[in-house]
């Protein structure tokens, strides 16, 4: 986690109202853009962001919760999941209002629900992965660190060795993920 994020998380855990206000202002434009570019309104973006902030704030109050990415990344992921869920609910509601109860099964809803389940399965697989693989995968794919930065962070002799390790970790993650998907 980055220094600013660590300070912000510490202050939020202390229930500092100023830190909460700063959090609201800091990342709202990102969520507004997400919702507006995906068939939403400004009010819907505010609602989704409010829910994401509440979720994040409540999670921070839990002693066992450890933030393993940037605050911005976490809020974006939660907001995206909330927005996709709302879109699916809206689509389902429109479908029920315009057709007979059982007449039309909307495949898009099932697709969104399937993606949600896959997202949850990937999250579970990532947490099952273990260290240092979990951090390497998160650093590369979630935090957008370069192979040189990962090389330096983990003390690899060169970027090729780090890339090789990332590849092995990714293969392991895929095995865990697909084993979990088969169990569903």
């Amino acid at each position: 986690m980055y220094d600013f994020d660590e300070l912000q998380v510490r202050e939020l855990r202390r229930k500092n109202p100023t830190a909460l206000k700063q959090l609201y202002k800091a990342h709202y434009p990102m969520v507004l853009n997400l919702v507006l570019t995906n068939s939403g309104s400004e009010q819907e973006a505010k609602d989704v962001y409010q829910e994401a902030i509440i979720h994040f704030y409540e999670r921070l109050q839990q002693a066992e919760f450890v933030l393993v990415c940037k605050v911005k990344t976490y809020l974006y992921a939660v907001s995206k999941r909330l927005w996709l869920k709302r879109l699916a609910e809206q689509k389902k509601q429109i479908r029920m209002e315009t057709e007979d109860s059982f007449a039309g099964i909307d495949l898009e809803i099932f697709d969104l629900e399937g993606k949600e389940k896959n997202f949850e399965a990937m999250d579970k697989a990532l947490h099952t992965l273990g260290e240092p693989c979990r951090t390497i995968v998160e650093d590369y794919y979630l935090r957008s660190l370069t192979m040189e930065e990962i090389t330096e962070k983990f003390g690899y002799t060169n970027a090729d060795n780090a890339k090789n390790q990332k590849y092995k970790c990714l293969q392991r993650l895929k095995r865990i993920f697909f084993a979990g998907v088969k169990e569903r």
Side-chain angles (χ1 to χ4, degrees):
M1 202 171 15
Y2 297 88
D3 291 338
F4 176 74
D5 282 357
E6 288 176 10
L7 175 64
Q8 191 173 40
V9 165
R10 188 170 39 248
E11 290 303 310
L12 288 168
R13 282 195 162 137
R14 290 182 185 155
K15 300 181 181 180
N16 180 332
T18 304
L20 189 57
K21 287 178 188 174
Q22 289 173 342
L23 180 66
Y24 265 99
K25 290 179 183 177
H27 306 297
Y28 174 69
M30 166 188 70
V31 175
L32 176 63
N33 184 51
L34 167 73
V35 173
L36 290 178
T37 57
N38 289 286
S39 307
S41 68
E42 188 172 342
Q43 184 57 49
E44 289 170 317
K46 287 177 183 177
D47 293 344
V48 165
Y49 191 55
Q50 174 77 17
E51 284 182 59
I53 292 287
I54 290 169
H55 169 81
F56 179 59
Y57 187 77
E58 287 174 349
R59 291 283 291 163
L60 283 178
Q61 303 313 314
Q62 299 170 352
E64 72 277 0
F65 178 72
V66 176
L67 186 65
V68 294
C69 61
K70 289 183 181 179
V71 170
K72 180 179 182 176
T73 304
Y74 187 88
L75 286 173
Y76 183 83
V78 171
S79 296
K80 184 176 179 182
R81 290 177 74 187
L82 289 169
W83 182 240
L84 288 174
K85 187 175 180 180
R86 277 188 181 210
L87 284 176
E89 288 169 0
Q90 287 173 3
K91 193 138 181 120
K92 188 182 276 185
Q93 183 65 32
I94 290 168
R95 190 65 136 178
M96 289 170 63
E97 289 172 1
T98 57
E99 297 182 5
D100 294 334
S101 301
F102 299 105
I105 297 174
D106 194 328
L107 295 177
E108 288 181 46
I109 291 172
F110 291 116
D111 187 43
L112 284 174
E113 289 171 352
K115 286 179 182 178
E116 179 72 18
K117 287 179 183 176
N118 283 343
F119 183 79
E120 290 169 3
M122 181 56 75
D123 188 50
K124 184 178 178 183
L126 192 57
H127 284 83
T128 305
L129 189 58
E131 294 299 336
C133 281
R134 176 179 164 191
T135 303
I136 291 171
V137 170
E138 287 176 343
D139 281 350
Y140 187 77
Y141 291 102
L142 298 178
R143 296 182 193 100
S144 302
L145 267 62
T146 65
M147 290 314 299
E148 288 75 22
E149 291 170 318
I150 292 171
T151 298
E152 186 177 316
K153 180 176 180 177
F154 288 92
Y156 292 112
T157 54
N158 58 50
D160 287 334
N161 288 346
K163 187 185 276 188
N164 188 33
Q165 184 61 39
K166 178 190 65 93
Y167 174 79
K168 289 177 183 177
C169 292
L170 193 55
Q171 294 306 311
R172 207 164 127 221
L173 179 63
K174 286 179 183 177
R175 280 193 302 275
I176 294 168
F177 171 78
F178 286 115
V181 169
K182 285 180 185 177
E183 292 174 6
R184 283 196 273 173

